[in-house]
Amino acid sequence: MKRKLIAAIGVAGMMVGITACGGSDNGGGKAGGAKELTVWLTVDAQNNWPELVKAADDAIVKKYPGIKIKHEYYGWPDKNTKLDAVLATDKAPDVVEMGNSEMIGYMAKGAFAEVDPKKFDNSDKWLDALKASVTYNGKTYGVPYYAGGRVGTWRKDIAAEVGVTSTPKTWAELTAALDKIQAKKGDKFSAWYQPSPDWYGAMAFVYEAGGSIAKQEGDSWKANLSSPESVKGLTAYKSVLDKYMHGDKTKDESDRPVVFGQGNAATIFGAGWEGATAADPKNDKVGGLKDKLADFVMPGPSGKNLPVFLGGSDLAIPVKSTSQDVAAEWIAVFTGAQGQKGLAAKGNLPNNKADLAPLKNDPKTAVPATAAESSWFVPTAPGWGQVEKSQILKTMLIEIANGKKPVEAAAKDADAAIDKVINNK
């Protein structure tokens, strides 16, 4: 996730109120017998909020004088390869940052220690999707760290050309504006540039309609894309593609900001940073695009806001850690009330609804904060990683977009493919 630094804040308050947390009884005495704590984070923390890391370190060292805290920082592509290798040894780190959708496979294999959510600030108010990402079979195996949501972004100047001067609040307002834009700009222009294989966007329609990718039935999961509710959502998604998307319908969303910056689209629905990336001078082929964009909470066909997939990170404690209690204390400080304020000041969404509420009243953060209130998450099934790897959802969406299969048939075939792998560890 790309970020823009917004402000620096004081972090002295993070050193107050450490509570002994979760984990195991590993040893006794000072720091539970721990003399060292190893924390793995991604380079986002190293580059963008090192002062927050230091504040958590200082708080632990103040409570446990003499303990040594070591940090290792990894890029996202490298982290899991290194983690997989070290988890096979007795040298596991004590805290590790995970992408929230990466948690599932590790939880299913028993790689992470269970934690007590009551020992972490605002755990009863964790954002729904983040809570789901650290929960497996009713138990909690991690702590949400921060989130990043999805928003609508459109060209104010193009909307003004058809007499629309404010961002849409309802589906009717959105589609009326897009219809006018599409009619004016012609079929070589996308009133809404929505790459069809973008399953994060497509599943927002599915969940908004009351459907889901899969449902848990006892101890197993069953694909649910061919349910009437899911088909309703997929049909609404296809309608968007048919009416407003006039780009390559087999192309994914990886370069959506670049395409948007080229000036051949009026609207996108993507990660909160995508509009700013499109307006970056190296991508802006329109000229002055930054001042022509406006973000908005994407409405859905049923009258509710489209629920968004919340990307972001969680913090977990490997089950092989010999310092689980102190690891949980470090996480509690780092993700606590002061830590969440610090992360929000860096352009992230906090991990809970209590800290999210004030952001809704700030014009700079109101849109992403409001959008994040309604969210969805992938099935926390042991074989979810294989579902993603097999690109079942992308295949289905391309078939729907190009008319290769009717929605019902494509969904039924996707369900069959999902059911073959979703329960496999």
Side-chain angles (χ1 to χ4, degrees), residues 44-340:
D44 298 319
Q46 182 182 34
N47 295 336
N48 297 333
W49 46 87
E51 72 277 18
L52 304 182
V53 178
K54 183 178 185 300
D57 291 351
D58 290 347
I60 295 299
V61 171
K62 182 177 180 180
K63 183 173 181 180
Y64 302 117
I67 191 171
K68 296 184 182 299
I69 302 179
K70 297 170 56 179
H71 290 280
E72 294 188 30
Y73 294 95
Y74 294 92
W76 285 106
D78 309 320
K79 174 181 62 66
N80 287 3
T81 300
K82 176 71 172 177
L83 181 61
D84 292 344
V86 78
L87 287 180
T89 73
D90 60 356
K91 301 294 184 183
D94 302 299
V95 177
V96 61
E97 178 181 350
M98 304 293 296
N100 57 357
S101 62
E102 296 175 341
M103 287 286 293
I104 302 167
Y106 289 87
M107 293 190 296
K109 293 175 181 177
F112 296 144
E114 186 180 354
V115 299
D116 180 357
K118 295 178 182 178
K119 301 295 181 67
F120 302 91
D121 284 353
N122 288 315
S123 60
D124 60 331
K125 299 179 181 69
W126 282 344
L127 298 177
D128 296 339
L130 296 188
K131 180 178 179 179
S133 74
V134 297
T135 305
Y136 185 73
N137 286 341
K139 297 181 179 180
T140 305
Y141 293 95
V143 179
Y145 175 8
Y146 65 86
R150 283 167 167 71
V151 300
T153 302
W154 81 351
R155 293 270 303 273
K156 293 184 294 183
D157 57 327
I158 292 177
E161 289 179 19
V162 295
V164 179
T165 57
S166 60
T167 54
K169 300 295 189 295
T170 67
W171 185 251
E173 289 178 0
L174 174 64
T175 53
L178 294 177
D179 288 342
K180 292 177 182 178
I181 291 170
Q182 196 64 68
K184 180 177 179 61
K185 293 294 187 179
D187 60 9
K188 292 184 179 181
F189 184 90
S190 293
W192 180 345
Y193 182 77
Q194 178 57 45
S196 61
D198 172 21
W199 58 271
Y200 294 112
M203 293 304 108
F205 285 85
V206 168
Y207 281 87
E208 193 257 0
S212 60
I213 299 171
K215 297 178 72 174
Q216 190 166 15
E217 298 179 352
D219 294 332
S220 63
W221 288 79
K222 179 73 174 174
N224 192 50
L225 290 168
S226 58
S227 70
E229 297 83 1
S230 295
V231 167
K232 180 180 179 181
L234 289 170
T235 301
Y237 183 68
K238 177 173 170 55
S239 177
V240 169
L241 300 176
D242 289 346
K243 289 182 178 180
Y244 310 123
M245 170 60 182
H246 296 282
D248 182 349
K249 292 182 181 178
T250 66
K251 191 176 184 182
D252 69 19
E253 72 277 15
S254 59
D255 65 345
R256 176 166 46 207
V258 175
V259 174
F260 194 37
Q262 291 171 346
N264 293 317
T267 310
I268 58 173
F269 176 46
W273 49 263
E274 292 189 35
T277 301
D280 186 291
K282 67 177 179 290
N283 296 322
D284 179 8
K285 307 303 179 185
V286 176
L289 185 58
K290 179 181 177 181
D291 296 326
K292 297 173 182 177
L293 298 180
D295 291 341
F296 61 96
V297 179
M298 183 63 75
S302 75
K304 299 174 291 186
N305 294 335
L306 276 184
V308 299
F309 177 84
L310 289 181
S313 286
D314 300 322
L315 297 171
I317 302 170
V319 73
K320 288 189 174 183
S321 164
T322 58
S323 304
Q324 291 180 26
D325 291 330
V326 184
E329 291 192 53
W330 189 93
I331 293 173
V333 181
F334 190 54
T335 63
Q338 291 299 322
Q340 291 302 310

Side-chain angles (χ1 to χ4, degrees), residues 34-53:
K35 297 180 180 179
E36 186 174 276
L37 194 71
T38 300
V39 178
W40 283 18
L41 300 172
T42 66
V43 292
D44 298 319
Q46 182 182 34
N47 295 336
N48 297 333
W49 46 87
E51 72 277 18
L52 304 182
V53 178

Side-chain angles (χ1 to χ4, degrees), residues 392-417:
I392 297 168
L393 297 180
K394 288 186 176 184
T395 299
M396 174 191 71
L397 293 171
I398 291 173
E399 291 173 342
I400 289 173
N402 289 336
K404 185 176 180 180
K405 293 179 182 177
V407 171
E408 293 85 350
K412 185 176 180 180
D413 289 347
D415 276 354

